[in-house]
Amino acid sequence: MNEKAKTALLYLDGVSVSFDGFRALNALSLVIEPGEMRAIIGPNGAGKTTMMDVITGKTKPDEGEIYFAGTVDLRKMDEASIASLGIGRKFQKPTVFESQTVYDNIELALAGKRTPFAVLWHRRTKEEEDRIEGILATIRLGEKRNWLAANLSHGQKQWLEIGMLLAQEPKLLLVDEPAAGMTDAETAETAILLKEIAKTKSVVVVEHDMTFVRDLDVKVTVLHEGSVLSEGTLDHVSADPRVVEVYLGR
Amino acid sequence: MIANFFLRGIDRSAILVIAILLAVAVLVPAANLYLPVTSPFHVPSYVVPLVGKYLTYGLLALSVGLIWGYCGILSLGHGAFFALGGYAMGMYLMRQIGTRGVYGHPILPDFMVFLNWQELPVAWWGFQYFPYAMLMVVLVPGLLAFVFGWFAFRSRVTGVYLSIITQAMTFALLLGFFRNNFGFGGNNGLTDFKEILGFNVQAPMTRGFLFAASAIALAFFYVICRSIINSRFGKVIIAVRDAESRTRFIGYRVENYKLAVWTLSACMAGVAGALYVPQVGIINPGEFDPANSIEIVVWVAVGGRGTLVGPIIGALVVNYMKTYFTTGALAPYWLFVLGSLFIGVTLFLPKGIVGTLGGLIGRERRVKTPAAEAPATNPQPQAAE
């Protein structure tokens, strides 16, 4: 492990993953600094979602190193313990607990003890209620707190999921296509929300929508065939001939 | 802490269920014992153990309803835990026979004498003591469920694969218990019971008490389940049912939650089995039959998955129908009735009796109070796929 890994919040070095001979990730290296916000773009099949799977413990890498906060080796941990470390994830398709209310969804995600018995005896405290209220206000679902999550619109589900992420109080948020299926107005609002969040936390956003990435105005990493193709400002990567080739075809 | 936990479980509808069960626990035996046969309210003696048996089935259905309806674990082998609890009780009852057996052996039950055994197998030691036997009623199914669940849930066996191995588990036990040298009475099982705690098991008074115990046990576990569902733990297991991997990514170790409700459910099934055996007077390996376990699932589906009262009502209704159809001219057609019931409920009442009725009542209430704009303030848990 080198110096870089010790200071970075998230450090991936030479990470490879194969599924039945298909290399989803090919010696991928990526460094996220504390407090950084990063946008990750790339064509379909570039390995964006697999990268998130590897970081959150859903998929084990075949080779390579993954460290969190300098010292924690994520390869040895399962999803639950990685989540408890402070890595939160929002899925591409919004996954909320549909048969429970908006309020309960946030409550479930709220940072706290996660063992069965602690949860069984737990009583909601005033502090927790205040936290939930605060998050409901941030994601603008206060009015719908008693709605079943199933009855929310697609965009509202995306927001609820972001709210659940916030409730977890993670150090690092992995956000997969937050603007998918949103109206232009919602997309712009989501960008503002994420920028607000990025003031206190590190955020990695995977996105297809270029307007959205431009709204975020952060460093961009372009993935292609499981490794980093280009990195820099959006203007820099858009000018990169290799990126143009990947996106527009030969 | 514990008082708070239970208080959470006792809401208005829970009080109604508890009140009904406790009233039944007192009134049915009383109507049997103290009303003259000529009274229109007299309960005939054959009805008491019959309905008592239904109540133990209700508890068994509740145990399956808890894991299937709220945690998405479809067990097709819960009859095994029921039977193990039943065997533990049966072993106690066997040891109480003493010298009154056919062979009059003071220690060995008849089937052991018949097999020419000289000593009591270790597994039978201590079963002459009621408290020890009751401990085993909970411990044996609980331990089996814990070990089984530990491996299954840790390996992330879910859905239909888990259902299949639960079925394999009960089938393996069926084969084991059928063997004479397994030490539990083989094909014939355990029967010919005389006394429980010094009282004649056949006496109307004892039957009345067993009936009351079944109703009270059902009410007790209903409150426990209710308290669990109303706690944050309940929200977590519903979350596991609806989106298991999402729950993991929030930081809950799903396998531990599943293991906890699964083990509790097995213990409940064990208690149900223990109350069942003295009322029907026999326990044999037939109880491990996979078909029995599937029948429990039918009760739950008929009554209403994702509710706690539903499975109880389902067990009572289906078993009443079973009694009705298997006595008389319709007897050969019972299995057709059961099959069509399951198909009918799946097609026309996917939420079961209670889920459908609850939906109707909820709709009416909403029409009456248009002020309530929220689509559902009281989340109706949806059935898991």
Side-chain angles (χ1 to χ4, degrees):
Chain A
M1 194 161 66
N2 60 29
E3 277 308 305
K4 191 88 181 149
K6 280 182 194 148
T7 57
L9 182 67
L10 180 69
Y11 175 86
L12 277 77
D13 188 27
V15 174
S16 296
V17 176
S18 300
F19 299 115
D20 297 326
F22 170 71
R23 285 213 130 183
L25 292 184
N26 191 4
L28 173 71
S29 300
L30 185 76
V31 179
I32 307 290
E33 300 295 340
E36 187 185 353
M37 181 167 187
R38 178 76 62 91
I40 296 190
I41 60 173
N44 284 328
K48 302 182 299 273
T49 301
T50 309
M51 180 195 78
M52 294 218 171
D53 286 347
V54 166
I55 297 169
T56 52
K58 193 180 176 197
T59 306
K60 296 283 166 223
D62 299 331
E63 50 190 273
E65 293 182 327
I66 311 171
Y67 286 96
F68 180 69
T71 47
V72 189
D73 189 348
L74 296 185
R75 288 172 301 179
K76 296 186 180 125
M77 304 174 78
D78 67 358
E79 296 99 318
S81 39
I82 291 176
S84 306
L85 265 185
I87 299 184
R89 176 175 187 180
K90 199 202 87 57
F91 289 78
Q92 190 170 343
K93 180 173 168 279
T95 27
V96 292
F97 303 121
E98 307 239 330
S99 64
Q100 307 203 43
T101 61
V102 169
Y103 194 94
D104 285 349
N105 267 274
I106 303 282
E107 189 186 340
L108 275 170
L110 217 56
K113 285 195 178 140
R114 292 289 198 249
T115 56
F117 286 101
V119 170
L120 186 62
W121 306 122
H122 185 82
R123 280 176 74 79
R124 199 163 56 218
T125 61
K126 184 78 186 63
E127 276 172 324
E128 286 182 322
E129 281 170 9
D130 292 345
R131 287 262 312 134
I132 299 175
E133 290 304 326
I135 290 162
L136 285 173
T138 310
I139 58 171
R140 290 163 214 185
L141 287 174
E143 302 274 295
K144 304 206 157 107
R145 72 187 65 213
N146 288 330
W147 281 39
L148 292 188
N151 298 333
L152 296 178
S153 75
H154 184 85
Q156 287 166 337
K157 281 185 193 170
Q158 298 272 35
W159 279 54
L160 174 56
E161 209 181 353
I162 293 173
M164 289 163 75
L165 264 188
L166 290 175
Q168 275 179 265
E169 296 176 16
K171 298 189 186 79
L172 172 67
L173 282 82
L174 304 174
V175 188
D176 202 349
E177 301 206 18
M182 281 189 174
T183 61
D184 288 348
E186 283 173 330
T187 306
E189 296 240 14
T190 307
I192 295 169
L193 177 62
L194 283 177
K195 282 206 286 203
E196 188 63 35
I197 293 167
K199 283 181 185 161
T200 50
K201 298 168 178 18
S202 300
V203 183
V204 174
V205 186
V206 166
E207 190 48 80
H208 271 306
D209 186 334
M210 283 303 160
T211 356
F212 181 75
V213 175
R214 193 165 289 284
D215 281 350
L216 290 178
D217 188 28
V218 292
K219 188 172 171 186
V220 175
T221 298
V222 185
L223 290 191
H224 177 54
E225 291 178 349
S227 42
V228 175
L229 186 69
S230 183
E231 211 164 66
T233 63
L234 184 60
D235 292 325
H236 169 81
V237 299
S238 325
D240 190 326
R242 289 175 305 169
V243 175
V244 175
E245 190 181 297
V246 164
Y247 264 96
L248 300 178
R250 277 152 263 259
Chain B
M1 185 168 81
I2 288 173
N4 274 331
F5 170 71
F6 281 116
L7 278 179
R8 228 170 0 202
I10 304 175
D11 46 27
R12 205 185 299 164
S13 54
I15 288 173
L16 184 68
V17 174
I18 297 162
I20 291 174
L21 282 171
L22 294 184
V24 165
V26 175
L27 294 178
V28 170
N32 168 247
L33 293 167
Y34 301 117
L35 289 179
V37 183
T38 49
S39 159
F41 296 106
H42 175 79
V43 174
S45 284
Y46 78 92
V47 170
V48 176
L50 185 67
V51 179
K53 182 179 85 170
Y54 295 168
L55 289 173
T56 65
Y57 284 156
L59 179 53
L60 177 57
L62 180 66
S63 76
V64 172
L66 176 67
I67 53 167
W68 189 29
Y70 289 93
C71 199
I73 305 169
L74 173 56
S75 170
L76 294 180
H78 243 56
F81 303 123
F82 179 78
L84 286 173
Y87 264 95
M89 177 59 107
M91 286 158 77
Y92 163 77
L93 295 171
M94 288 303 266
R95 298 290 314 268
Q96 298 308 301
I97 297 172
T99 53
R100 285 165 295 179
V102 177
Y103 296 101
H105 196 289
I107 293 171
L108 295 188
D110 278 348
F111 76 90
M112 293 186 190
V113 182
F114 180 75
L115 292 170
N116 261 332
W117 291 6
Q118 302 304 320
E119 276 174 24
L120 195 69
V122 180
W124 283 75
W125 290 6
F127 270 94
Q128 69 271 37
Y129 304 113
F130 187 74
Y132 175 80
M134 291 308 100
L135 186 66
M136 289 299 131
V137 159
V138 181
L139 214 58
V140 172
L143 200 65
L144 174 68
F146 186 85
V147 172
F148 179 93
W150 175 275
F151 287 107
F153 299 136
R154 211 144 281 262
S155 320
R156 301 199 181 172
V157 180
T158 54
V160 65
Y161 301 100
L162 185 90
S163 304
I164 290 168
I165 57 171
T166 57
Q167 184 115 83
M169 172 190 75
T170 194
F171 192 64
L173 285 166
L174 170 78
L175 296 179
F177 274 81
F178 256 127
R179 287 153 50 96
N180 273 331
N181 57 9
F182 204 61
F184 300 98
N187 193 13
N188 297 318
L190 312 175
T191 187
D192 202 17
F193 308 133
K194 308 280 188 227
E195 276 180 0
I196 179 165
L197 290 168
F199 298 99
N200 179 357
V201 277
Q202 312 257 2
M205 190 56 130
T206 318
R207 295 219 143 146
F209 271 103
L210 286 168
F211 179 94
S214 307
I216 291 167
L218 183 53
F220 173 74
F221 282 108
Y222 175 80
V223 173
I224 289 198
C225 290
R226 190 94 195 173
S227 311
I228 288 175
I229 297 309
N230 288 351
S231 73
R232 192 181 278 182
F233 183 100
K235 290 176 185 162
V236 176
I237 59 172
I238 294 171
V240 169
R241 177 192 75 188
D242 292 342
E244 180 169 334
S245 74
R246 188 78 190 90
T247 319
R248 279 186 211 281
F249 286 118
I250 294 182
Y252 293 99
R253 196 150 278 138
V254 167
E255 53 272 24
N256 293 350
Y257 282 83
K258 284 185 167 178
L259 189 59
V261 291
W262 169 256
T263 307
L264 170 70
S265 165
C267 294
M268 283 166 63
V271 172
L275 287 162
Y276 167 85
V277 167
Q279 297 188 78
V280 299
I282 183 167
I283 175 83
N284 63 28
E287 297 295 336
F288 287 104
D289 191 329
N292 281 15
S293 296
I294 292 170
E295 219 172 288
I296 309 166
V297 171
V298 177
W299 306 339
V300 177
V302 168
R305 196 159 50 131
T307 65
L308 289 176
V309 195
I312 301 173
I313 291 180
L316 298 180
V317 167
V318 177
N319 281 294
Y320 174 71
M321 285 174 72
K322 186 175 186 174
T323 307
Y324 183 81
F325 279 102
T326 51
T327 48
L330 292 167
Y333 307 108
W334 162 243
L335 286 177
F336 293 101
V337 173
L338 183 66
S340 13
L341 188 67
F342 192 44
I343 294 169
V345 164
T346 313
L347 288 179
F348 304 114
L349 296 176
K351 287 178 174 173
I353 299 170
V354 170
T356 309
L357 287 180
L360 290 178
I361 293 167
R363 199 179 306 155
E364 222 161 76
R365 223 178 261 163
R366 240 169 282 141
V367 171
K368 273 182 198 155
T369 52
E373 255 176 57
T377 42
N378 200 5
Q380 276 285 320
Q382 313 252 292
E385 290 311 318

